[in-house]
Amino acid sequence: MLNTQQSGFVGHLIELRNRLMKALLSILVIFIALIYFANDIYSFVAAPLISHLPENSTMIATDVTSPFFAPFKLTLFVALFAAVPMILHQIWSFIAPGLYKHEKRMLLPILFSSIVLFYAGISFCYFIVLPIILGFFTSVGPEMMTLSPDISSYLGFALKLFFAFGVAFEIPVAIMVLCWSGVTDVISLKEKRPYIIVGSFVVAMFLTPPDVLSQTLLALPMLLLFELGLILARFYSKKPKEQELQE
């Protein structure tokens, strides 16, 4: 009996390792396919900043290796973001055998929604948030100042915002999972709304650069997504009979 349990545990570990290797391989394949276009990818990401720079002003590299490593690093992150569907697919393939049919039917829409919302968060950041933030910061400096942003510093700034908005847009999914699992319910979350409003601004403070504008542009969508999560969670909340059966 013990040997059977041990072999089953080892089998799960081997499968987990294989799933992780496939996820990492997908990132590597996408990275290799994109590395030739690394400079073009950087130019695309830097476009919101370039459009707000004064005339005759350009981005600079304060480190000799930055012109190579900045696009290289960005391409690696793009490969990671692009491989999210494959990574989630591997996670789903690992946990799906242990789920009931009705659980699979409930979780598949959540899995699909998490992918869509992650990319929606990044797109929202690139097309809306970045132009607003960069337009503000490039217009408030002293007139005698020549703005020449460092390519590595801008990359770190942009990636932090992309990640923050990508994760923040997963709030509806998190709420649905919590309600579906019975950890909480819609009524309880509504009662905690004042604390969640404060918490959204606190979380935004840690996830975004240290300025009020970035924090507000993240906190407000988080609150709207929280309300959306409450609406969708009604379809995923456990019924009293289901909770009694589990207990």
Side-chain angles (χ1 to χ4, degrees), residues 200-235:
S200 297
F201 282 91
V202 173
V203 171
M205 179 179 64
F206 286 102
L207 291 180
T208 60
D211 62 272
V212 177
L213 184 59
S214 301
Q215 295 165 12
T216 303
L217 288 174
L218 178 58
L220 291 180
M222 287 173 65
L223 295 175
L224 293 176
L225 290 166
F226 169 74
E227 297 297 332
L228 175 62
L230 292 181
I231 296 173
L232 298 176
R234 297 178 184 276
F235 303 99

mmCIF file of all heavy atoms in Angstrom, residues 200-235:
data_model
loop_
_atom_site.group_PDB
_atom_site.id
_atom_site.type_symbol
_atom_site.label_atom_id
_atom_site.label_comp_id
_atom_site.label_asym_id
_atom_site.label_seq_id
_atom_site.Cartn_x
_atom_site.Cartn_y
_atom_site.Cartn_z
ATOM 1 N N SER A 200 -7.161 48.623 -2.432
ATOM 2 C CA SER A 200 -6.809 48.780 -3.844
ATOM 3 C C SER A 200 -5.763 49.871 -4.026
ATOM 4 O O SER A 200 -4.807 49.707 -4.802
ATOM 5 C CB SER A 200 -8.065 49.112 -4.666
ATOM 6 O OG SER A 200 -8.992 48.062 -4.610
ATOM 7 N N PHE A 201 -5.930 50.965 -3.311
ATOM 8 C CA PHE A 201 -4.947 52.048 -3.427
ATOM 9 C C PHE A 201 -3.616 51.664 -2.767
ATOM 10 O O PHE A 201 -2.550 52.071 -3.237
ATOM 11 C CB PHE A 201 -5.507 53.328 -2.800
ATOM 12 C CG PHE A 201 -6.497 54.040 -3.675
ATOM 13 C CD1 PHE A 201 -7.853 53.769 -3.597
ATOM 14 C CD2 PHE A 201 -6.062 54.983 -4.599
ATOM 15 C CE1 PHE A 201 -8.766 54.424 -4.407
ATOM 16 C CE2 PHE A 201 -6.961 55.640 -5.418
ATOM 17 C CZ PHE A 201 -8.317 55.362 -5.327
ATOM 18 N N VAL A 202 -3.687 50.876 -1.699
ATOM 19 C CA VAL A 202 -2.445 50.422 -1.051
ATOM 20 C C VAL A 202 -1.693 49.473 -1.980
ATOM 21 O O VAL A 202 -0.471 49.596 -2.158
ATOM 22 C CB VAL A 202 -2.758 49.737 0.292
ATOM 23 C CG1 VAL A 202 -1.492 49.109 0.871
ATOM 24 C CG2 VAL A 202 -3.353 50.725 1.276
ATOM 25 N N VAL A 203 -2.412 48.520 -2.579
ATOM 26 C CA VAL A 203 -1.783 47.584 -3.512
ATOM 27 C C VAL A 203 -1.214 48.331 -4.719
ATOM 28 O O VAL A 203 -0.099 48.051 -5.174
ATOM 29 C CB VAL A 203 -2.797 46.522 -3.965
ATOM 30 C CG1 VAL A 203 -2.234 45.678 -5.104
ATOM 31 C CG2 VAL A 203 -3.188 45.637 -2.801
ATOM 32 N N ALA A 204 -1.976 49.288 -5.246
ATOM 33 C CA ALA A 204 -1.505 50.076 -6.388
ATOM 34 C C ALA A 204 -0.243 50.848 -6.045
ATOM 35 O O ALA A 204 0.634 51.039 -6.888
ATOM 36 C CB ALA A 204 -2.597 51.038 -6.841
ATOM 37 N N MET A 205 -0.145 51.264 -4.787
ATOM 38 C CA MET A 205 1.046 52.004 -4.350
ATOM 39 C C MET A 205 2.298 51.132 -4.449
ATOM 40 O O MET A 205 3.380 51.614 -4.798
ATOM 41 C CB MET A 205 0.847 52.490 -2.916
ATOM 42 C CG MET A 205 2.024 53.254 -2.334
ATOM 43 S SD MET A 205 1.683 53.818 -0.652
ATOM 44 C CE MET A 205 1.517 52.245 0.210
ATOM 45 N N PHE A 206 2.156 49.827 -4.161
ATOM 46 C CA PHE A 206 3.312 48.927 -4.196
ATOM 47 C C PHE A 206 3.602 48.408 -5.604
ATOM 48 O O PHE A 206 4.750 48.084 -5.918
ATOM 49 C CB PHE A 206 3.083 47.736 -3.262
ATOM 50 C CG PHE A 206 3.209 48.075 -1.803
ATOM 51 C CD1 PHE A 206 2.081 48.258 -1.014
ATOM 52 C CD2 PHE A 206 4.450 48.224 -1.214
ATOM 53 C CE1 PHE A 206 2.185 48.576 0.325
ATOM 54 C CE2 PHE A 206 4.575 48.541 0.128
ATOM 55 C CZ PHE A 206 3.439 48.721 0.905
ATOM 56 N N LEU A 207 2.584 48.318 -6.452
ATOM 57 C CA LEU A 207 2.760 47.733 -7.775
ATOM 58 C C LEU A 207 3.191 48.731 -8.838
ATOM 59 O O LEU A 207 3.701 48.334 -9.884
ATOM 60 C CB LEU A 207 1.460 47.055 -8.231
ATOM 61 C CG LEU A 207 1.044 45.795 -7.481
ATOM 62 C CD1 LEU A 207 -0.257 45.241 -8.049
ATOM 63 C CD2 LEU A 207 2.129 44.729 -7.537
ATOM 64 N N THR A 208 2.974 50.015 -8.588
ATOM 65 C CA THR A 208 3.281 51.026 -9.598
ATOM 66 C C THR A 208 4.439 51.904 -9.133
ATOM 67 O O THR A 208 4.811 51.885 -7.958
ATOM 68 C CB THR A 208 2.057 51.916 -9.870
ATOM 69 O OG1 THR A 208 1.660 52.571 -8.654
ATOM 70 C CG2 THR A 208 0.902 51.083 -10.385
ATOM 71 N N PRO A 209 5.015 52.686 -10.050
ATOM 72 C CA PRO A 209 6.042 53.654 -9.657
ATOM 73 C C PRO A 209 5.493 54.631 -8.615
ATOM 74 O O PRO A 209 4.281 54.814 -8.501
ATOM 75 C CB PRO A 209 6.359 54.379 -10.972
ATOM 76 C CG PRO A 209 5.994 53.388 -12.030
ATOM 77 C CD PRO A 209 4.799 52.644 -11.495
ATOM 78 N N PRO A 210 6.376 55.253 -7.844
ATOM 79 C CA PRO A 210 5.932 56.110 -6.729
ATOM 80 C C PRO A 210 5.375 57.464 -7.164
ATOM 81 O O PRO A 210 5.961 58.513 -6.910
ATOM 82 C CB PRO A 210 7.212 56.283 -5.905
ATOM 83 C CG PRO A 210 8.310 56.173 -6.910
ATOM 84 C CD PRO A 210 7.844 55.159 -7.917
ATOM 85 N N ASP A 211 4.227 57.428 -7.834
ATOM 86 C CA ASP A 211 3.558 58.679 -8.167
ATOM 87 C C ASP A 211 2.055 58.449 -8.074
ATOM 88 O O ASP A 211 1.547 57.350 -8.332
ATOM 89 C CB ASP A 211 3.940 59.158 -9.575
ATOM 90 C CG ASP A 211 3.511 58.184 -10.656
ATOM 91 O OD1 ASP A 211 4.293 57.271 -10.967
ATOM 92 O OD2 ASP A 211 2.400 58.331 -11.168
ATOM 93 N N VAL A 212 1.334 59.488 -7.705
ATOM 94 C CA VAL A 212 -0.110 59.376 -7.451
ATOM 95 C C VAL A 212 -0.870 59.035 -8.717
ATOM 96 O O VAL A 212 -1.855 58.283 -8.688
ATOM 97 C CB VAL A 212 -0.634 60.688 -6.837
ATOM 98 C CG1 VAL A 212 -2.140 60.621 -6.638
ATOM 99 C CG2 VAL A 212 0.057 60.978 -5.516
ATOM 100 N N LEU A 213 -0.434 59.569 -9.856
ATOM 101 C CA LEU A 213 -1.150 59.348 -11.102
ATOM 102 C C LEU A 213 -1.158 57.870 -11.476
ATOM 103 O O LEU A 213 -2.217 57.301 -11.804
ATOM 104 C CB LEU A 213 -0.520 60.178 -12.222
ATOM 105 C CG LEU A 213 -1.229 60.131 -13.583
ATOM 106 C CD1 LEU A 213 -2.660 60.627 -13.459
ATOM 107 C CD2 LEU A 213 -0.466 60.955 -14.610
ATOM 108 N N SER A 214 0.002 57.215 -11.426
ATOM 109 C CA SER A 214 0.078 55.790 -11.756
ATOM 110 C C SER A 214 -0.770 54.963 -10.798
ATOM 111 O O SER A 214 -1.474 54.034 -11.208
ATOM 112 C CB SER A 214 1.535 55.309 -11.711
ATOM 113 O OG SER A 214 2.327 56.024 -12.618
ATOM 114 N N GLN A 215 -0.690 55.302 -9.520
ATOM 115 C CA GLN A 215 -1.444 54.556 -8.508
ATOM 116 C C GLN A 215 -2.949 54.684 -8.737
ATOM 117 O O GLN A 215 -3.696 53.705 -8.624
ATOM 118 C CB GLN A 215 -1.065 55.061 -7.122
ATOM 119 C CG GLN A 215 0.384 54.786 -6.750
ATOM 120 C CD GLN A 215 0.853 55.597 -5.557
ATOM 121 O OE1 GLN A 215 0.049 56.211 -4.866
ATOM 122 N NE2 GLN A 215 2.149 55.599 -5.312
ATOM 123 N N THR A 216 -3.394 55.887 -9.064
ATOM 124 C CA THR A 216 -4.824 56.104 -9.290
ATOM 125 C C THR A 216 -5.304 55.382 -10.541
ATOM 126 O O THR A 216 -6.390 54.785 -10.555
ATOM 127 C CB THR A 216 -5.122 57.611 -9.413
ATOM 128 O OG1 THR A 216 -4.662 58.279 -8.235
ATOM 129 C CG2 THR A 216 -6.615 57.858 -9.567
ATOM 130 N N LEU A 217 -4.486 55.420 -11.605
ATOM 131 C CA LEU A 217 -4.860 54.771 -12.857
ATOM 132 C C LEU A 217 -4.906 53.251 -12.727
ATOM 133 O O LEU A 217 -5.518 52.574 -13.556
ATOM 134 C CB LEU A 217 -3.888 55.162 -13.963
ATOM 135 C CG LEU A 217 -4.009 56.607 -14.469
ATOM 136 C CD1 LEU A 217 -2.901 56.926 -15.451
ATOM 137 C CD2 LEU A 217 -5.372 56.829 -15.112
ATOM 138 N N LEU A 218 -4.245 52.709 -11.707
ATOM 139 C CA LEU A 218 -4.343 51.277 -11.445
ATOM 140 C C LEU A 218 -5.454 50.968 -10.455
ATOM 141 O O LEU A 218 -6.198 49.995 -10.630
ATOM 142 C CB LEU A 218 -3.011 50.741 -10.909
ATOM 143 C CG LEU A 218 -2.992 49.251 -10.534
ATOM 144 C CD1 LEU A 218 -3.378 48.388 -11.734
ATOM 145 C CD2 LEU A 218 -1.630 48.849 -10.005
ATOM 146 N N ALA A 219 -5.593 51.788 -9.412
ATOM 147 C CA ALA A 219 -6.577 51.519 -8.365
ATOM 148 C C ALA A 219 -8.011 51.600 -8.897
ATOM 149 O O ALA A 219 -8.855 50.767 -8.545
ATOM 150 C CB ALA A 219 -6.394 52.486 -7.200
ATOM 151 N N LEU A 220 -8.311 52.584 -9.746
ATOM 152 C CA LEU A 220 -9.673 52.736 -10.248
ATOM 153 C C LEU A 220 -10.129 51.539 -11.099
ATOM 154 O O LEU A 220 -11.224 51.017 -10.890
ATOM 155 C CB LEU A 220 -9.793 54.045 -11.035
ATOM 156 C CG LEU A 220 -9.685 55.325 -10.195
ATOM 157 C CD1 LEU A 220 -9.811 56.557 -11.081
ATOM 158 C CD2 LEU A 220 -10.733 55.341 -9.088
ATOM 159 N N PRO A 221 -9.310 51.067 -12.053
ATOM 160 C CA PRO A 221 -9.719 49.851 -12.770
ATOM 161 C C PRO A 221 -9.857 48.644 -11.842
ATOM 162 O O PRO A 221 -10.725 47.792 -12.070
ATOM 163 C CB PRO A 221 -8.577 49.638 -13.782
ATOM 164 C CG PRO A 221 -8.008 50.993 -13.997
ATOM 165 C CD PRO A 221 -8.107 51.671 -12.659
ATOM 166 N N MET A 222 -9.018 48.568 -10.808
ATOM 167 C CA MET A 222 -9.124 47.461 -9.861
ATOM 168 C C MET A 222 -10.490 47.466 -9.169
ATOM 169 O O MET A 222 -11.110 46.407 -8.981
ATOM 170 C CB MET A 222 -8.000 47.542 -8.828
ATOM 171 C CG MET A 222 -6.630 47.168 -9.360
ATOM 172 S SD MET A 222 -5.299 47.468 -8.160
ATOM 173 C CE MET A 222 -5.722 46.289 -6.878
ATOM 174 N N LEU A 223 -10.951 48.638 -8.820
ATOM 175 C CA LEU A 223 -12.262 48.739 -8.166
ATOM 176 C C LEU A 223 -13.383 48.372 -9.125
ATOM 177 O O LEU A 223 -14.352 47.700 -8.745
ATOM 178 C CB LEU A 223 -12.456 50.154 -7.622
ATOM 179 C CG LEU A 223 -11.500 50.574 -6.493
ATOM 180 C CD1 LEU A 223 -11.709 52.036 -6.113
ATOM 181 C CD2 LEU A 223 -11.701 49.686 -5.276
ATOM 182 N N LEU A 224 -13.282 48.820 -10.371
ATOM 183 C CA LEU A 224 -14.292 48.459 -11.367
ATOM 184 C C LEU A 224 -14.288 46.950 -11.635
ATOM 185 O O LEU A 224 -15.350 46.330 -11.780
ATOM 186 C CB LEU A 224 -14.042 49.222 -12.674
ATOM 187 C CG LEU A 224 -14.244 50.743 -12.612
ATOM 188 C CD1 LEU A 224 -13.857 51.386 -13.939
ATOM 189 C CD2 LEU A 224 -15.696 51.082 -12.266
ATOM 190 N N LEU A 225 -13.097 46.375 -11.674
ATOM 191 C CA LEU A 225 -12.989 44.932 -11.886
ATOM 192 C C LEU A 225 -13.508 44.155 -10.682
ATOM 193 O O LEU A 225 -14.045 43.052 -10.827
ATOM 194 C CB LEU A 225 -11.523 44.562 -12.175
ATOM 195 C CG LEU A 225 -10.992 45.033 -13.523
ATOM 196 C CD1 LEU A 225 -9.476 44.926 -13.557
ATOM 197 C CD2 LEU A 225 -11.609 44.224 -14.661
ATOM 198 N N PHE A 226 -13.350 44.729 -9.508
ATOM 199 C CA PHE A 226 -13.916 44.107 -8.305
ATOM 200 C C PHE A 226 -15.440 44.031 -8.409
ATOM 201 O O PHE A 226 -16.048 43.000 -8.109
ATOM 202 C CB PHE A 226 -13.500 44.900 -7.069
ATOM 203 C CG PHE A 226 -14.229 44.508 -5.817
ATOM 204 C CD1 PHE A 226 -13.925 43.320 -5.173
ATOM 205 C CD2 PHE A 226 -15.217 45.321 -5.289
ATOM 206 C CE1 PHE A 226 -14.604 42.949 -4.012
ATOM 207 C CE2 PHE A 226 -15.898 44.963 -4.140
ATOM 208 C CZ PHE A 226 -15.592 43.767 -3.494
ATOM 209 N N GLU A 227 -16.048 45.124 -8.862
ATOM 210 C CA GLU A 227 -17.494 45.137 -9.017
ATOM 211 C C GLU A 227 -17.930 44.145 -10.103
ATOM 212 O O GLU A 227 -18.956 43.465 -9.964
ATOM 213 C CB GLU A 227 -17.975 46.551 -9.373
ATOM 214 C CG GLU A 227 -17.697 47.590 -8.298
ATOM 215 C CD GLU A 227 -18.415 47.299 -6.992
ATOM 216 O OE1 GLU A 227 -19.482 46.655 -7.033
ATOM 217 O OE2 GLU A 227 -17.916 47.700 -5.926
ATOM 218 N N LEU A 228 -17.145 44.056 -11.180
ATOM 219 C CA LEU A 228 -17.447 43.078 -12.226
ATOM 220 C C LEU A 228 -17.340 41.658 -11.676
ATOM 221 O O LEU A 228 -18.168 40.793 -11.990
ATOM 222 C CB LEU A 228 -16.484 43.262 -13.403
ATOM 223 C CG LEU A 228 -16.595 42.227 -14.534
ATOM 224 C CD1 LEU A 228 -17.976 42.290 -15.186
ATOM 225 C CD2 LEU A 228 -15.501 42.455 -15.567
ATOM 226 N N GLY A 229 -16.332 41.434 -10.842
ATOM 227 C CA GLY A 229 -16.161 40.126 -10.228
ATOM 228 C C GLY A 229 -17.335 39.744 -9.353
ATOM 229 O O GLY A 229 -17.758 38.580 -9.322
ATOM 230 N N LEU A 230 -17.910 40.723 -8.646
ATOM 231 C CA LEU A 230 -19.075 40.450 -7.799
ATOM 232 C C LEU A 230 -20.275 40.017 -8.650
ATOM 233 O O LEU A 230 -21.045 39.132 -8.259
ATOM 234 C CB LEU A 230 -19.443 41.696 -6.987
ATOM 235 C CG LEU A 230 -18.461 42.128 -5.893
ATOM 236 C CD1 LEU A 230 -18.983 43.365 -5.168
ATOM 237 C CD2 LEU A 230 -18.216 41.003 -4.900
ATOM 238 N N ILE A 231 -20.415 40.649 -9.821
ATOM 239 C CA ILE A 231 -21.535 40.290 -10.700
ATOM 240 C C ILE A 231 -21.355 38.869 -11.244
ATOM 241 O O ILE A 231 -22.282 38.048 -11.211
ATOM 242 C CB ILE A 231 -21.639 41.303 -11.864
ATOM 243 C CG1 ILE A 231 -21.984 42.692 -11.309
ATOM 244 C CG2 ILE A 231 -22.692 40.851 -12.871
ATOM 245 C CD1 ILE A 231 -21.939 43.792 -12.356
ATOM 246 N N LEU A 232 -20.144 38.571 -11.716
ATOM 247 C CA LEU A 232 -19.893 37.251 -12.302
ATOM 248 C C LEU A 232 -19.889 36.154 -11.245
ATOM 249 O O LEU A 232 -20.242 35.003 -11.533
ATOM 250 C CB LEU A 232 -18.558 37.262 -13.053
ATOM 251 C CG LEU A 232 -18.463 38.218 -14.240
ATOM 252 C CD1 LEU A 232 -17.069 38.192 -14.835
ATOM 253 C CD2 LEU A 232 -19.497 37.849 -15.302
ATOM 254 N N ALA A 233 -19.484 36.505 -10.018
ATOM 255 C CA ALA A 233 -19.381 35.499 -8.963
ATOM 256 C C ALA A 233 -20.736 34.929 -8.569
ATOM 257 O O ALA A 233 -20.810 33.852 -7.973
ATOM 258 C CB ALA A 233 -18.693 36.097 -7.732
ATOM 259 N N ARG A 234 -21.808 35.636 -8.887
ATOM 260 C CA ARG A 234 -23.147 35.109 -8.581
ATOM 261 C C ARG A 234 -23.383 33.772 -9.287
ATOM 262 O O ARG A 234 -24.136 32.927 -8.791
ATOM 263 C CB ARG A 234 -24.217 36.123 -9.014
ATOM 264 C CG ARG A 234 -24.161 37.450 -8.268
ATOM 265 C CD ARG A 234 -25.212 38.399 -8.793
ATOM 266 N NE ARG A 234 -25.120 39.712 -8.155
ATOM 267 C CZ ARG A 234 -25.676 40.016 -6.989
ATOM 268 N NH1 ARG A 234 -26.380 39.106 -6.336
ATOM 269 N NH2 ARG A 234 -25.546 41.227 -6.483
ATOM 270 N N PHE A 235 -22.744 33.590 -10.446
ATOM 271 C CA PHE A 235 -22.928 32.350 -11.192
ATOM 272 C C PHE A 235 -21.999 31.241 -10.706
ATOM 273 O O PHE A 235 -22.122 30.096 -11.126
ATOM 274 C CB PHE A 235 -22.673 32.599 -12.687
ATOM 275 C CG PHE A 235 -23.550 33.665 -13.271
ATOM 276 C CD1 PHE A 235 -23.082 34.965 -13.440
ATOM 277 C CD2 PHE A 235 -24.851 33.376 -13.636
ATOM 278 C CE1 PHE A 235 -23.888 35.957 -13.973
ATOM 279 C CE2 PHE A 235 -25.678 34.358 -14.174
ATOM 280 C CZ PHE A 235 -25.193 35.652 -14.339
#
